[in-house]
């Protein structure tokens, strides 16, 4: 064990700039994975990650690199998620490293999460190795990217590695730059054990496995350990390195990155960010940075078939074993029956979980429009947190309502500043400031409600800037807003699962647009269905769905059974995501229509 030959680093980038492709190339070039076995993007192990081409959970891999100086180095490469929902995992991964390779796409230049991730790496005191990727593309402008890195981020980029992760050009230069520029880990091998947990997952055969960075001391099979934040104690069943196949080792020592089999059964006992020490004679000083992750976005999930409540519960239990950020509680809706209110880190996290529930567990679900957590102060000054619009007390009992605000950073070419202003002001954004990062990139800072962000804001931002804008945000705090609950009534009855909370000044317009939209989405029934939007009993808008005129089967003359069956089957398929509410059939789109506003 020679710490001077260890290099621990992350690769950070804006989404799609090529981080995972670059990791693959590094594994290939160092011989950790033979080209023949090379499955594209080996580090993205979850199916959904592969399909969507995004990294959700971080991963760590150890490779050996024989450098031009003739020495062999141990590289620990820690892959990080690129999406803003998973920022917390990025910061934990960075805390396990001494260096970070900052990947910038030569055709896109510096984008919002390039800035956010570079800031995080600088705050963690990491040595940054800039890399300009995709130089094989005709549209590549490496010089422009270099200027943006220097002017916008204040990172010297004269020696930035020019690379194509696709063809492999420049990857060798990168590995040499890592050897020379990333510092070797420092730490006290003889001191009391301190290791940082930067990821943990549940393995059905071995219990919870943690990915750790040993900062001081060493850790071996049979040691008795204590997690400093959670207080949990456990016996080490195995330690080792992922190369990327797991290789058991006698010990992990100061400077090493590896895995630890804990035998524990619940990931919430092995929290990301927690410090591991020995149960007796251990360290008293935890490593910095432990923080509970808090869900920001909530939605109701209801099984379409009534008998799937238990399977849904079991599926959520299974998924939470691996995902401490996923929280849920049972919820009853008058309209939809029994289901769950589920909390997520953000919209992407939500989509991924919904997709996994359907795909891996075969569930057929109906999701209500996502909402945020409101703080409602009652007249007696007592505060209640709401995760669901249905829980909002009567307005007469409310003193004030506060909602979560975000600090939002948008990077955009100067031509589109006006479009961003218009859109963001219409979303109740408060403009803070604007800086030129370079002649071609403007940084705009705003504060805006999270509740507006989840209403399709990102898609609109992209479309109003021809795709040029990039976005990053963080939680800013709770602020008072004039909010009301907008109810949707079908045939005169309020449908709890369709109501949502909205700013008072927007209720009228939204009510009008929404009733019109629902008229187009809800299919005709055998009878007339009035649709109304109302706030506190006052109707703001009304539309009517006319009764169906003819039976579908009326078209089939004679006894053409097969045609009839086909027609019925087709109907059934269309019904897939419908739910009978009262006696009206409401499709899934009706719930999502609340989020899409023009
Ligand atoms: P996330 O994991 O979602 O954060 O994305 P990423 O940064 O890992 O990007 P990824 O490696 O998935 O690459 C995004 C896209 O760019 C993929 O379609 C890659 O094939 C492509 N790509 C990556 N590197 C290069 C390159 O050097 N040249 C070209 N032409 N394409 C590249």
């Amino acid at each position: 064990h020679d710490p001077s030959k260890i290099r621990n680093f992350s690769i950070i980038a804006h989404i799609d700039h090529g981080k995972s492709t670059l990791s693959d190339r590094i594994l290939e070039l160092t011989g950790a994975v033979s080209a023949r076995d090379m499955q594209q993007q080996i580090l993205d192990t979850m199916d959904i990650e592969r399909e969507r081409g995004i990294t959700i959970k971080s991963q760590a891999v150890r490779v050996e690199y024989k450098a031009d100086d003739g020495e062999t180095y141990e590289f620990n490469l820690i892959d990080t998620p690129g999406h803003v929902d998973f920022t917390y995992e990025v910061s934990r991964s960075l805390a396990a490293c001494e260096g970070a390779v900052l990947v910038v796409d030569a055709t896109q230049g510096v984008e919002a999460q390039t800035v956010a991730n570079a800031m995080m790496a600088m705050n963690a005191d990491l040595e940054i190795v800039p890399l300009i990727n995709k130089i094989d593309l005709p549209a590549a402008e490496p010089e422009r990217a270099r200027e943006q890195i220097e002017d916008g981020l204040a990172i010297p980029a004269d020696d930035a590695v020019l690379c194509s992760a696709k063809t492999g050009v420049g990857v060798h230069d990168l590995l040499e730059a890592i050897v020379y520029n990333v510092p070797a880990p420092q730490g006290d091998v003889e001191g009391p054990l301190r290791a940082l947990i930067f990821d943990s997952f549940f393995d059905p055969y071995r219990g919870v496995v943690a990915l750790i960075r040993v900062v001081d001391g060493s850790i071996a099979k049979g040691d008795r350990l204590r997690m400093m934040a959670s207080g949990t104690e456990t016996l080490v069943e195995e330690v080792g390195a992922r190369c990327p196949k797991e290789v058991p080792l006698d010990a992990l020592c100061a400077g090493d990155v590896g895995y630890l089999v804990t035998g524990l059964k619940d990931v919430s006992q092995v929290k990301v960010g927690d410090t591991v020490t020995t149960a007796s004679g251990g360290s008293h000083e935890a490593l910095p940075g432990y923080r509970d992750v808090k869900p920001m976005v909530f939605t109701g999930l209801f099984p379409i078939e009534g008998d799937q409540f238990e399977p849904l519960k079991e599926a959520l239990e299974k998924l939470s074993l691996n995902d401490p950020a996923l929280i849920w509680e049972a919820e009853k809706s008058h309209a939809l029956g029994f289901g769950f209110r589920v909390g997520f880190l953000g919209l992407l996290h939500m989509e991924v979980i919904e997709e996994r529930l359907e795909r891996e567990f075969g569930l057929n679900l109906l999701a209500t429009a996502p909402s945020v957590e409101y703080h409602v102060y009652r007249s007696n000054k007592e505060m209640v947190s709401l995760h669901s619009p249905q829980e909002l007390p009567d307005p007469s009992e409310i003193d004030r309502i506060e909602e979560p605000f975000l600090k939002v950073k948008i990077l955009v070419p100067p031509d589109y500043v006006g479009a961003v202003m218009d859109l963001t002001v219409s979303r109740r954004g408060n403009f803070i400031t604007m800086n030129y990062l370079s002649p071609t990139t403007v940084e705009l800072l705003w504060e805006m409600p999270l509740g507006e962000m989840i209403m399709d804001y990102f898609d609109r931002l992209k479309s109003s800037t021809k795709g040029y804008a990039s976005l990053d945000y963080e939680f800013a705090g709770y602020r008072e807003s004039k909010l009301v609950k907008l109810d949707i009534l079908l045939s005169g009855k309020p449908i709890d699962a369709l109501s949502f909370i909205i700013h008072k000044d927007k209720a009228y317009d939204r009510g009008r647009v929404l009733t019109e939209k629902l008229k187009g989405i809800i299919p005709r029934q055998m009878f007339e269905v009035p649709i109304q939007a109302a706030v506190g009993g006052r109707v703001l808008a009304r539309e009517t769905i006319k009764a169906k005129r003819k039976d579908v089967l009326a078209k089939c003359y004679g006894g053409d059974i097969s045609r009839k069956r086909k027609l019925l089957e087709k109907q059934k398929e269309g019904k897939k995501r419908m739910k009978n509410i009262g006696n009206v059939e409401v499709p899934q789109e009706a719930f999502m229509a609340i989020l899409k506003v023009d």
Side-chain angles (χ1 to χ4, degrees):
H1 180 81
D2 177 4
S4 75
K5 296 289 177 332
I6 299 177
R7 299 291 180 273
N8 298 320
F9 63 96
S10 277
I11 303 181
I12 54 177
H14 189 80
I15 195 153
D16 279 349
H17 281 205
K19 199 177 54 209
S20 303
T21 311
L22 182 64
S23 312
D24 288 354
R25 269 311 84 67
I26 293 176
L27 296 194
E28 210 177 76
L29 216 87
T30 54
V33 180
S34 72
R36 200 159 42 88
D37 293 346
M38 193 73 212
Q39 189 179 11
Q40 213 206 347
Q41 306 207 336
I42 196 107
L43 292 182
D44 288 348
T45 44
M46 277 163 56
D47 275 356
I48 296 174
E49 291 190 349
R50 247 185 230 134
E51 266 170 43
R52 295 185 170 214
I54 50 170
T55 307
I56 296 165
K57 296 288 285 181
S58 28
Q59 291 279 9
V61 181
R62 176 182 296 190
V63 296
E64 282 192 347
Y65 175 59
K66 195 158 189 311
D68 292 353
D69 65 6
E71 301 280 350
T72 300
Y73 292 83
E74 169 190 323
F75 277 9
N76 288 299
L77 157 57
I78 296 173
D79 195 23
T80 58
H83 191 275
V84 60
D85 279 7
F86 304 99
T87 304
Y88 179 69
E89 302 209 4
V90 178
S91 65
R92 287 304 97 221
S93 304
L94 294 183
C97 303
E98 280 75 34
V101 176
L102 178 69
V103 177
V104 177
D105 183 330
T107 67
Q108 303 297 314
V110 167
E111 296 196 74
Q113 281 140 44
T114 318
V115 180
N117 286 324
M119 293 301 169
M120 256 194 274
M122 288 191 253
N123 288 337
D125 279 333
L126 302 192
E127 183 66 34
I128 294 179
V129 180
L131 176 139
I132 297 170
N133 190 30
K134 306 199 190 181
I135 57 163
D136 60 293
L137 290 175
E141 291 181 79
E143 271 317 308
R144 193 174 77 97
R146 201 196 297 271
E147 276 163 28
Q148 288 180 338
I149 296 171
E150 294 208 331
D151 300 347
L153 301 173
I155 296 170
D158 265 349
D159 299 327
V161 179
L162 296 179
C163 171
S164 165
K166 190 175 174 189
T167 65
V169 168
V171 179
H172 174 80
D173 295 346
L174 172 67
L175 298 178
E176 289 295 315
I178 291 168
V179 168
Y180 286 99
N181 297 330
V182 175
Q186 308 211 312
D188 181 2
V189 186
E190 305 303 327
L193 171 69
R194 291 199 302 167
L196 173 76
I197 301 173
F198 63 88
D199 197 7
S200 70
F201 55 90
F202 180 75
D203 178 314
Y205 302 103
R206 302 180 297 174
V208 179
V209 179
L211 299 184
I212 56 168
R213 157 70 197 270
V214 184
V215 175
D216 296 314
S218 65
I219 196 167
K221 183 174 170 169
D223 287 353
R224 192 159 184 85
L225 301 181
R226 183 164 50 88
M227 321 281 159
M228 294 182 79
S230 72
T232 311
E233 291 197 4
T234 187
L235 220 54
V236 179
E237 294 189 354
E238 185 181 311
V239 291
R242 311 176 108 202
C243 301
K245 287 211 177 63
E246 287 186 354
V247 178
L249 296 170
D250 293 339
L252 290 173
C253 303
D256 278 336
V257 171
Y259 70 90
L260 159 66
V261 179
T262 64
L264 294 166
K265 294 289 171 244
D266 181 355
V267 263
S268 65
Q269 295 172 300
V270 186
K271 292 184 172 176
V272 171
D274 203 348
T275 301
V276 182
T277 190
T278 41
S280 61
S283 169
H284 297 290
E285 206 185 323
L287 297 162
Y290 175 70
R291 166 168 82 82
D292 255 328
V293 277
K294 273 194 70 118
M296 302 286 278
V297 176
F298 299 81
T299 187
L301 290 182
F302 295 87
I304 291 191
E305 289 96 36
D307 59 355
Q308 289 203 328
F309 177 81
E310 278 301 321
L312 173 57
K313 185 170 168 215
E314 280 162 27
L316 284 169
E317 274 165 359
K318 281 218 179 93
L319 289 181
S320 349
L321 282 176
N322 255 333
D323 189 348
L326 180 68
I327 63 149
W328 42 279
E329 60 191 21
E331 177 174 71
K332 179 170 181 356
S333 149
H334 291 296
L336 301 176
F338 289 98
F340 294 92
R341 177 108 319 225
V342 188
F344 306 94
L345 296 174
L347 289 178
L348 179 71
H349 187 212
M350 179 182 91
E351 280 173 32
V352 168
I353 295 291
E354 285 177 9
E355 214 170 303
R356 292 188 65 188
L357 286 169
E358 303 214 316
R359 243 201 258 183
E360 293 169 30
F361 299 90
L363 296 163
N364 198 0
L365 299 174
L366 198 140
T368 63
S371 79
V372 302
E373 177 173 326
Y374 296 97
H375 287 173
V376 179
Y377 292 81
R378 292 178 178 270
S379 314
N380 63 9
K381 301 288 182 279
E382 181 202 351
M383 194 273 272
V384 276
S385 338
L386 300 190
H387 296 154
S388 156
Q390 287 102 281
E391 299 164 7
L392 194 70
D394 190 78
S396 65
E397 294 168 30
I398 297 175
D399 176 58
R400 64 178 200 283
I401 306 178
E402 293 183 353
E403 63 177 328
F405 268 66
L406 301 173
K407 198 188 276 171
V408 177
K409 180 190 292 179
I410 297 163
L411 262 58
V412 76
D415 289 354
Y416 297 102
V417 168
V420 174
M421 292 272 180
D422 288 347
L423 172 68
T424 314
V425 166
S426 79
R427 295 311 186 82
R428 299 193 282 130
N430 299 319
F431 176 70
I432 300 172
T433 158
M434 169 167 137
N435 308 304
Y436 272 81
L437 293 186
S438 73
T440 49
T441 317
V442 180
E443 175 188 72
L444 298 160
L445 297 178
W446 296 82
E447 272 204 1
M448 77 181 268
L450 172 61
E452 295 280 344
M453 170 78 73
I454 65 176
M455 295 238 196
D456 212 19
Y457 176 78
F458 185 62
D459 286 347
R460 302 219 147 245
L461 179 69
K462 280 282 182 194
S463 63
S464 61
T465 59
K466 296 217 167 73
Y468 279 116
S470 60
L471 170 77
D472 189 63
Y473 55 78
E474 61 188 25
F475 179 61
Y478 272 80
R479 313 260 190 272
E480 181 175 355
S481 292
K482 298 277 170 241
L483 299 168
V484 293
K485 178 161 72 113
L486 187 71
D487 290 315
I488 301 294
L489 295 79
L490 296 181
S491 305
K493 280 203 233 52
I495 307 301
D496 58 0
L498 280 173
S499 49
F500 59 100
I501 291 174
I502 184 171
H503 194 266
K504 165 174 132 311
D505 297 343
K506 292 184 154 192
Y508 175 78
D509 284 341
R510 190 71 57 75
R512 220 167 26 83
V513 171
L514 199 62
T515 46
E516 233 167 72
K517 228 180 203 164
L518 288 175
K519 184 182 172 186
I521 291 173
I522 298 176
R524 287 186 174 195
Q525 321 276 322
M526 302 307 288
F527 43 86
E528 197 175 88
V529 181
I531 308 173
Q532 293 164 303
V535 168
R538 198 164 60 90
V539 174
L540 304 179
R542 180 195 157 111
E543 294 282 340
T544 305
I545 305 172
K546 294 228 172 61
K548 212 187 299 191
R549 249 174 278 146
K550 273 190 218 136
D551 193 81
V552 250
L553 296 183
K555 272 197 214 138
C556 306
Y557 42 85
D560 185 348
I561 302 292
S562 72
R563 175 142 178 236
K564 240 185 223 174
R565 205 177 39 231
K566 244 191 210 149
L567 213 56
L568 285 171
E569 254 159 22
K570 222 172 172 182
Q571 263 199 338
K572 213 162 111 205
E573 203 146 317
K575 242 186 237 170
K576 245 184 111 196
R577 263 162 216 281
M578 294 239 205
K579 191 90 184 174
N580 260 318
I581 299 184
N583 45 10
V584 181
E585 301 220 295
V586 181
Q588 166 80 65
E589 291 75 19
F591 297 90
M592 291 308 150
I594 292 168
L595 296 180
K596 307 259 175 198
V597 280
D598 309 303

